[in-house]
Amino acid sequence: MAISPLDQIDAQLAQRLLAAALEGGAAYADLYFEYAAGAHFGFEDEQVKSVGKGVTLGLGVRALKGDATGYAYTEELAEDRMLEAARTAGRIAASGGAPTPAALETLSTSNLYSVAEAPWERSGAEKVELLRRADRAARAYDPRIVRVEVGLGESLKDVLVVTSDGRMARDFQPMVRFTVGAVAEADGKRQTGRSAGASRRGMEQFSLAGESPEEHGREAARLAIAMLNAEEAPAGPMEVVLGPGESGILLHEAVGHGLEADFNRKKTSNYTDHVGKQVASSLCTVVDDGTLQNARGSINVDDEGNPGRRNVLIENGILVGYMQDRISARHFGTQASGNGRRESFRHEPLPRMTNTLMLAGQESPEDIVKSVKRGVYAKNFSGGQVNISNGDFVFSLTESYLIEDGKLTAPLKGVNLIGNGPEVLRKVVMVGNDFQLSGGTWTCGKDGQSVPVGIGNPTIKISEITVGGTKA
Amino acid sequence: MSLRAANDEGARRLPDPQACQRAAEQMLGYALKAGAEGAEVLVRDGAELEVRLRLGEPELIKEAGSRALGLRVLKDGRPAVTYTSDFSDAGLERLARETVELAALAEPDVFAALPAPELMARQVPDLALWDDEVPRLTVEDAIAWTTRGEAAARAFDPRITNSDGASLSRVVGATAFASSAGFSGGYRGSYVSLVVQPIADDEGGKKRNGSWWTGGRFVASLESPESVGETAARRTLAQLGAQKVATCQVPVIFPPEAGRSLLGKLAGVTSGGAVWRRSSYLADREGTEVASSLVNIADDPLIPGAPGSRPFDGEGLASRVNVLVDGGILRTFLCDTYAARKLNRVSTGSAGRGVGGGPHVSTSNLIMRPGGTPRETIERVPEGFYVTHLMGFGFSGVTGDFSQGASGFWVKNGERTMPVSEVTISANFDDLWKNVDAVADDLDTRSSTQVPTFRVSHMTVAGR
């Protein structure tokens, strides 16, 4: 991104816009300028099937009065249109003296996502070759692979946040995303497998261990083949071992959302008023860490202009604190925690997760599996959902195995696990020493807004959770 | 706190289908001039107002308009897709050139073609998709409606102790489409909805949330805020004391709020895109029994005033009614032009389209036809599970394996007794649809996927 339209936004212009947002009496206002460019390449039937690109440019203006938000946006960065958006947002306040915006100071941020090989400077042909390599590897894995689909996405988001209390922060947020899907067919049975990688990097992503096109191709094929002979999963409460990495989805659903400060400020979360209390087994220490180098959920600066941070949510089972945005931090009389995030300039910021993970424990993963007489081993996951109020959550397994007498046996058909956040976390009875950050393409949805997040987990054992199979 | 009126020009600018159509035609010209042998342009222009109110105080007032243009070109049989929100002449002309250049990166694809000219829509029927009253709803109106809705919920019962708020959202938009295959047209649409979400405290620190909503293209068609609030309160209170049940196999009853997502999943596996990709368990099942004889499903884009109606599809083809399932027999796969060519047939006029991408198969108003049985009769089972809410993503279209989190009520001797939560229901989708043994007469027409209550003779419920 050599030239960005955001380069033309200077402090004086920002001050004029903030003054317009505050003129009706709002207590605070901020500006979120965004210029995002992305491209996508799709490959199937051994051919490049789709190529596309797009650009988004806009300004979102937010004005706050108490806990109330006024929000407006414009896609035209002409000053009159921006002033109109600022005044529309400012209408949330009807009276009171208009504060003047503070003098602006540019926030210096860390650099968590340096890009070594910028995708936008590479040729399309080079990217197409990555797709071909994955396709070849997947088809070569097994003759029963009948279809392969590969996708490569790249994006660069340039954001500028300016606040009426004097902060100005600019960030360039890169992302590459690579996905391979494979279909296996044999004896009238059909199965799919998927492997994906995403991070805030450039093309150097594909040189990392496990991230080459071939590795993703083979992994997608392996999964499709492995599940061809999957058996009906059991139904009912069982011991369950979650493999490392992707199983961090448990934390995202079981505690993550419930610890977002807005739900606790409104007392609608089942974790409301639980700070200082035991909410998980003492083996569990859960952090939300926006500062991991190049990770999908990392942020140098959040979408309210606060630096990304590492926040301990649960320490040895005790609830330490919530993930805060500006409105909630003011309510709780604390600092914003670098969790104010939004999908785009069309959206108001909300408390959101970054990379949510459980720290490693002492046990070897082998010992954990060995300790189970009859249960389920969950290896690959597709997604999850939680009801914030009652704490019930589900997550979906795409690769799992029966454990019999401490050994993995039959592969099981796609199945859901269902539990209640605090109840399940109290049943975490073993935590492995094999922490992994998932490299997957995780996207979190809340109030209709999607943001990229990371998850991670060591191998853990849950003494009892309901497995939603068909075999009653 | 008080609020001022929204009454300036920006907030009141109405989406204009003619202006969108002019922009689409202009871009089509640029694309052909840049060397495309075929091109399609979609332009969307919309304005939204969202007001969220909680415990009587406004929490969010959001107001904005936005427009965007999507372009698809074919050059030497190679497709490329781009989008922009920059409508300047220079910006459009540059994007047209860049898109044609981008197509060189794709490979010639004999299936990627524009529809045959004789299939294109000849006219744009008026399907009553617009209500002048929707854009006239002001911020004050929205605050009044949400206040009434939330207040009705909170006043309904002292056990309603909190609120996730009430929100009103209105959108008005214009859509225009121009194709070098010989079509140019536009239309506008409106939609408004109100949702109320009360909360009650339950034992053990758990909270119970329920919600209810009303929505439609016409302001006059909405349920009153008071009625929405009271229904939401009743639904919330009904969940107090919810428990897990023991793992078992029982009849499962799906009212529209839960059954809707099952019908959506079935549409996914009858989509031509999933079929030619071999990622549907129904890929080889056209003309065969895929559901019980009580199941009749159609996709109907031509219902006046319905949420999913569209006068033409995402490739400019005339909209038409397609019967998917007739007495349990799968009659057709829904196809856009690409899927149709892949499957050696003609498009069913089922292309959907967003500004950011090319055409894909999408349903319009997907309807499971109501049966003749009253809902109470359907619930007349010795023991069963009445599902009000499904959770999670547990469905594989390629195998039909279905396993989702569920909550609702336990039915005993024909009566809904205790509330149930934290269980899963599972079955193979093929069995689930074949085991539909009763369909009620209570079609819910609020959304673009419409189902009546129906019952599945048995599924596995996993709990304690």
Side-chain angles (χ1 to χ4, degrees):
Chain A
M1 203 171 275
I3 300 164
S4 163
L6 304 197
D7 294 339
Q8 63 173 333
I9 310 298
D10 60 30
Q12 288 75 31
L13 172 60
Q15 294 272 27
R16 288 197 293 278
L17 298 174
L18 288 169
L22 294 174
E23 73 190 14
Y28 166 89
D30 57 27
L31 311 172
Y32 181 84
F33 295 93
E34 178 185 358
Y35 176 58
H40 174 84
F41 297 81
F43 191 92
E44 53 187 331
D45 289 345
E46 300 176 49
Q47 276 196 328
V48 181
K49 274 288 161 68
S50 61
V51 290
K53 65 177 185 177
V55 164
T56 334
L57 173 64
L59 161 68
V61 186
R62 174 172 73 152
L64 298 182
K65 180 93 176 178
D67 286 352
T69 300
Y71 200 85
Y73 55 83
T74 173
E75 286 145 353
E76 290 172 61
L77 298 196
E79 185 161 348
D80 58 334
R81 301 311 293 264
M82 294 196 287
L83 283 168
E84 183 191 313
R87 292 196 183 101
T88 302
R91 265 194 229 111
I92 190 75
S95 57
T100 43
L104 293 176
E105 233 174 88
T106 300
L107 185 79
S108 67
T109 58
S110 44
N111 183 8
L112 295 172
Y113 21 82
S114 55
V115 169
E117 301 169 34
W120 47 96
E121 287 169 6
R122 296 305 177 100
S123 73
E126 193 176 331
K127 292 164 196 169
V128 168
E129 184 51 27
L130 296 170
L131 305 175
R132 284 189 202 289
R133 282 166 56 192
D135 174 70
R136 279 194 298 264
R139 283 184 297 111
Y141 182 84
D142 192 295
R144 290 171 289 173
I145 298 295
V146 294
R147 270 192 55 79
V148 179
E149 260 181 65
V150 193
L152 168 65
E154 61 181 67
S155 67
L156 181 62
K157 201 163 160 170
D158 175 8
V159 300
L160 172 67
V161 186
V162 190
T163 71
S164 66
D165 56 9
R167 265 163 309 146
M168 194 158 178
R170 180 103 178 248
D171 197 24
F172 295 89
Q173 301 169 346
M175 188 78 73
V176 290
R177 192 163 40 80
F178 193 74
T179 59
V180 184
V183 180
E185 251 179 60
D187 310 324
K189 289 184 196 162
R190 223 175 281 142
Q191 266 292 0
T192 55
R194 182 176 180 274
S195 179
S199 75
R200 295 199 185 277
R201 286 191 178 84
M203 304 298 274
E204 68 275 17
Q205 159 89 358
F206 299 100
S207 310
L208 302 175
E211 297 293 343
S212 73
E214 285 80 7
E215 284 162 298
H216 280 299
R218 283 193 293 266
E219 173 61 13
R222 182 197 66 76
L223 188 51
I225 297 286
M227 289 299 110
L228 270 179
N229 293 314
E231 297 180 1
E232 281 189 41
M238 303 188 81
E239 277 193 323
V240 170
V241 177
L242 304 179
E246 293 191 357
S247 65
I249 198 162
L250 168 87
L251 310 170
H252 183 97
E253 305 299 351
V255 285
H257 279 296
L259 298 185
E260 290 166 342
D262 49 349
F263 301 121
N264 292 285
R265 166 169 64 84
K266 299 175 193 175
K267 300 185 185 293
T268 58
S269 161
N270 68 324
Y271 289 101
T272 297
D273 300 330
H274 276 49
V275 171
K277 293 185 184 158
Q278 178 111 25
V279 296
S281 105
S282 61
L283 299 171
C284 298
T285 293
V286 179
V287 303
D288 182 79
D289 191 348
T291 70
L292 300 173
Q293 203 72 32
N294 297 108
R296 179 166 165 85
S298 292
I299 40 177
N300 288 323
V301 57
D302 76 2
D303 300 327
E304 300 183 303
N306 295 304
R309 274 183 19 188
R310 178 182 190 273
N311 295 296
V312 177
L313 306 177
I314 294 173
E315 192 163 26
N316 302 322
I318 308 291
L319 178 55
V320 177
Y322 304 126
M323 289 169 275
Q324 303 282 353
D325 67 347
R326 181 183 179 92
I327 294 178
S328 295
R330 179 179 157 274
H331 173 93
F332 284 107
T334 181
Q335 296 295 307
S337 61
N339 290 92
R341 303 185 66 193
R342 53 179 130 196
E343 178 177 313
S344 79
F345 69 89
R346 295 189 181 94
H347 301 91
E348 69 286 358
L350 299 170
R352 301 298 293 263
M353 285 174 258
T354 60
N355 305 295
T356 311
L357 33 107
M358 185 185 294
L359 301 189
Q362 307 292 323
E363 314 276 353
S364 84
E366 296 76 23
D367 288 347
I368 296 178
V369 173
K370 265 186 217 155
S371 74
V372 177
K373 186 139 179 57
R374 187 164 187 279
V376 167
Y377 181 83
K379 185 165 190 236
N380 267 291
F381 303 80
S382 61
Q385 196 183 339
V386 62
N387 177 324
I388 297 297
S389 299
N390 65 24
D392 288 357
F393 68 93
V394 292
F395 56 120
S396 307
L397 315 184
T398 50
E399 183 182 13
S400 61
Y401 297 87
L402 204 58
I403 308 177
E404 291 169 299
D405 295 324
K407 290 194 183 71
L408 304 195
T409 58
L412 299 175
K413 286 187 177 178
V415 70
N416 257 274
L417 301 183
I418 189 160
N420 184 270
E423 288 165 23
V424 166
L425 284 179
R426 285 193 187 98
K427 292 177 181 165
V428 173
V429 289
M430 292 175 93
V431 177
N433 55 16
D434 58 341
F435 173 82
Q436 272 181 31
L437 185 71
S438 164
T441 52
W442 303 103
T443 299
C444 168
K446 173 177 172 181
D447 283 1
Q449 294 194 43
S450 296
V451 297
V453 296
I455 50 177
N457 215 11
T459 296
I460 62 174
K461 179 166 108 173
I462 298 166
S463 60
E464 186 183 278
I465 184 167
T466 298
V467 178
T470 40
K471 225 156 109 183
Chain B
M1 178 182 331
S2 65
L3 283 123
R4 278 189 221 163
N7 54 8
D8 72 18
E9 280 300 299
R12 285 309 195 93
R13 188 178 61 86
L14 289 178
D16 176 356
Q18 278 81 35
C20 291
Q21 200 177 335
R22 281 194 299 274
E25 288 169 7
Q26 183 190 3
M27 187 58 159
L28 190 61
Y30 288 142
L32 296 174
K33 199 173 115 204
E37 68 227 14
E40 295 173 327
V41 185
L42 175 71
V43 175
R44 287 243 163 91
D45 182 12
E48 63 164 324
L49 168 68
E50 183 186 353
V51 170
R52 269 192 258 152
L53 174 125
R54 185 176 164 268
L55 301 179
E57 296 287 339
E59 191 175 61
L60 175 73
I61 298 174
K62 186 169 170 178
E63 238 183 320
S66 99
R67 60 178 185 166
L69 176 148
L71 169 66
R72 175 172 178 247
V73 304
L74 285 163
K75 165 79 173 166
D76 303 328
R78 303 161 196 257
V81 175
T82 54
Y83 64 89
T84 186
S85 58
D86 176 1
F87 278 70
S88 67
D89 289 352
L92 292 181
E93 194 169 9
R94 188 175 60 242
L95 184 70
R97 277 197 314 272
E98 287 174 359
T99 311
V100 171
E101 286 164 21
L102 193 63
L105 289 173
E107 285 167 289
D109 183 349
V110 294
F111 302 104
L114 300 189
E118 64 270 21
L119 296 176
M120 304 304 285
R122 299 271 166 260
Q123 54 183 2
V124 179
D126 181 0
L127 295 176
L129 308 179
W130 177 263
D131 178 10
D132 281 332
E133 296 303 315
V134 174
R136 289 193 190 128
L137 282 174
T138 61
V139 171
E140 287 76 8
D141 294 332
I143 289 174
W145 284 43
T146 47
T147 303
R148 285 164 56 195
E150 191 194 46
R154 293 176 70 199
F156 185 78
D157 191 293
R159 290 172 296 167
I160 300 289
T161 49
N162 197 350
S163 168
D164 236 346
S167 61
L168 182 137
S169 130
R170 68 149 157 80
V171 289
V172 290
T175 300
F177 183 76
S179 166
S180 63
F183 176 79
S184 174
Y187 60 98
R188 57 183 184 167
S190 57
Y191 191 81
V192 56
S193 64
L194 171 72
V195 57
V196 179
Q197 306 178 85
I199 290 183
D201 282 313
D202 207 343
E203 313 226 318
K206 283 189 185 179
K207 295 166 198 302
R208 302 290 173 187
N209 57 352
S211 70
W212 192 244
W213 64 281
T214 181
R217 293 184 176 274
F218 293 83
V219 174
S221 69
L222 299 188
E223 217 180 301
S224 81
E226 286 76 14
S227 156
V228 174
E230 284 169 16
T231 306
R234 256 194 295 275
R235 291 169 63 86
T236 301
L237 295 171
Q239 292 183 55
L240 286 170
Q243 293 173 34
K244 265 192 200 191
V245 290
T247 302
C248 59
Q249 281 217 343
V250 286
V252 178
I253 298 148
F254 295 98
E257 59 265 35
R260 184 179 295 132
S261 78
L262 299 186
L263 182 60
K265 288 179 174 65
L266 190 67
V269 288
T270 55
S271 138
V275 170
W276 74 257
R277 289 186 168 91
R278 310 292 295 167
S279 56
S280 164
Y281 75 94
L282 294 177
D284 305 311
R285 301 269 298 276
E286 208 172 22
T288 71
E289 187 193 342
V290 299
S292 108
S293 62
L294 299 173
V295 176
N296 295 287
I297 301 167
D299 187 58
D300 186 350
L302 296 170
I303 305 171
S309 294
R310 56 189 181 209
F312 50 85
D313 85 344
E315 296 179 295
L317 269 61
S319 285
R320 61 178 230 202
V321 181
N322 288 296
V323 173
L324 265 81
V325 176
D326 180 15
I329 308 296
L330 177 60
R331 289 298 176 201
T332 189
F333 299 123
L334 292 181
C335 287
D336 58 3
T337 298
Y338 192 91
R341 288 170 71 97
K342 275 282 197 186
L343 298 172
N344 197 21
R345 57 180 75 189
V346 175
S347 170
T348 55
S350 306
R353 187 155 208 164
V355 164
H360 56 271
V361 178
S362 94
T363 56
S364 56
N365 298 299
L366 178 70
I367 299 164
M368 177 169 166
R369 303 272 182 223
T373 318
R375 185 194 286 217
E376 301 74 49
T377 312
I378 282 197
E379 288 182 49
R380 218 167 283 155
V381 291
E383 187 144 30
F385 185 22
Y386 181 96
V387 176
T388 54
H389 191 68
L390 290 168
M391 273 176 97
F393 304 94
F395 177 65
S396 162
V398 70
T399 59
D401 292 331
F402 171 89
S403 160
Q404 287 201 310
S407 54
F409 300 94
W410 205 248
V411 177
K412 232 174 176 159
N413 301 322
E415 299 286 328
R416 279 180 235 171
T417 55
M418 107 189 151
V420 173
S421 72
E422 209 194 321
V423 300
T424 68
I425 54 171
S426 57
N428 186 273
F429 228 46
D430 203 29
D431 299 330
L432 186 155
W433 285 101
K434 283 181 176 162
N435 291 334
V436 170
D437 65 357
V439 178
D441 54 5
D442 58 346
L443 190 71
D444 177 357
T445 58
R446 286 176 298 171
S447 63
S448 58
T449 301
Q450 307 184 356
V451 290
T453 298
F454 61 94
R455 185 176 71 204
V456 176
S457 64
H458 59 282
M459 292 180 75
T460 304
V461 178
R464 277 187 284 114

